[in-house]
Amino acid sequence: MSVGNEDYRDSGLIFPKDFVIGSATASYQIEGAWDEDGRGPSIWDTFSHTPGLITDGSNGDVADDHYHRLEQDLDLMKELGLEAYRFSISWSRIIPTGSGDVNPAGIDFYSSLVDGLIARGILPIATLYHWDLPQPLEDAGGWVNRETAYRFEEYARVIGEALGDRVHTWTTLNEPWCAAYLGYAAGVHAPGRTNNADALTAVHHLNVAHGLAISALKTVVTNDPKFSVTLNVHALRGVGETGPEAVRQIDALANRAFTGPMLRGEYPRDLFDDTAAITDWSFVKEGDLEIIHQPIDILGVNYYSTTAVRIWDGVSARQGADGHKPAAGTAWPGADRVEFVSQEGPYTDMGWNIAPGGFEQLLWDVHTEFPELPLMITENGAAFPDAVTDGTVHDPERIDYLRRHLTAVHRARARGVDLRGYLVWSLLDNFEWAYGFSKRFGIVRVDYETLERTVKDSGRWYAELVRTHVLPE
Ligand code: FCB
């Protein structure tokens, strides 16, 4: 099957009415108000305030100022006709030190958000953890400390009690792969550590946190919500003869390290073997797999591009195209022999290759592996260097990207993948982690001087899709 681009430009495809179309954001990337109304510091405040760690020297202190512009942003979502909005909750707003006292102003903010969504007919999809760990918990060891998982359970209970009569879908973690490996091994994300054993320990404690949170939420919610987790399941392509072995290793670290315990109740044996020189995994305690393996209703999948791998021959110049910033550490503990091979373009502004065929293949593969589990695209989208002309943004590349990827979604559904919805990343241009404000993913432009919002051409295109459920030209 083609993983390229050429034949993925349909229009006129029809999505059924119950296929949910919306958008996604994350707290640290848009909220700002970093030290207001009782919010405590998170690891992303510390990381972004450390000179040299963010490409453009920026931070999320103000970001899109969404915290102060809630009503305006809700109206914008209504104007675009969004059917669902995936947001994340800042743990540091709810429990400023990560444990103990609850901050009522934090609860009020998210309560207003949820009410505002419901009043506008938009389904609230809440993520509990999109990487912004309260700093005091990091000071106590972060995700390397098992206690953090129990603090997460407490936080889940608190927020579940507050919003558990209204939230439509609860998502425990966003992309634990990034939190563990980019944060604790590669060092390119907060907290910026570079220790392979720590990263693998963090993987496990994030898994435990997921299971504890699902159980806690289930005991407190009073409506009938869906429970989920979002993974950036890696779409892997093996290159050449050694491709399959390289794919096996990266699949174990990136995908099965999470889907194994969460969805099957076991870690993959080969993951333990591949990483045996780094850790003996003795942090996996008896009973942990039962804790982690909770039934969920839907699996969130984030997709941007594909990853191509082979085993390095030890002779040629080694490629390192894994799509992330050059790092002090590796994002792939134990996979030292794997080479990340450059892929054919076109590319987005992130340098990520555009591959809608890889998207269709990934959805098919996940569905084949877990046929009973409904899927939801919780993120997909593209950064391009937009320009403002005539007071608006013409972004045909982004429209093209979205059209091709929605074509892939449609084809996957036609092949029988139980795919319930699609949420574009992102509603607004925002703080793109280590890249700061230098990468724009929004279907709405944000002017970072005036904080003015301008709907891009892609935003209008997307609004037409939501209104008609037909893929526009
Ligand atoms: C994902 C993140 C999201 C955003 C996109 C571009 O990995 O979940 O916050 O940064 O990438």
Side-chain angles (χ1 to χ4, degrees), residues 26 29 130-131 174-175 178 302 304 352 379 425 432-433 441:
Q29 297 182 275
H130 201 123
W131 311 345
N174 175 70
E175 300 189 357
C178 294
N302 291 354
Y304 291 91
W352 298 345
E379 286 181 29
W425 185 270
E432 179 47 37
W433 308 111
F441 275 92

Side-chain angles (χ1 to χ4, degrees), residues 109 111 192 234 274 280 287 301 304 410 430 434:
F109 174 71
S111 196
H234 280 60
D274 291 349
D280 60 5
V301 174
Y304 291 91
H410 197 277
N430 59 48

Side-chain angles (χ1 to χ4, degrees), residues 84-153:
Y85 175 59
R86 172 178 181 249
F87 58 97
S88 82
I89 296 170
S90 158
W91 187 345
S92 303
R93 269 193 213 290
I94 304 300
I95 305 178
T97 59
S99 63
D101 289 346
V102 174
N103 174 30
I107 302 266
D108 287 351
F109 174 71
Y110 293 105
S111 196
S112 305
L113 169 56
V114 169
D115 285 344
L117 290 169
I118 292 170
R120 289 165 180 82
I122 304 169
L123 298 175
I125 300 182
T127 300
L128 295 187
Y129 189 69
H130 201 123
W131 311 345
D132 42 0
L133 187 72
Q135 182 62 42
L137 296 185
E138 177 57 29
D139 297 340
W143 287 109
V144 185
N145 182 353
R146 187 180 172 93
E147 280 301 308
T148 299
Y150 298 110
R151 300 292 81 78
F152 189 68
E153 178 186 26

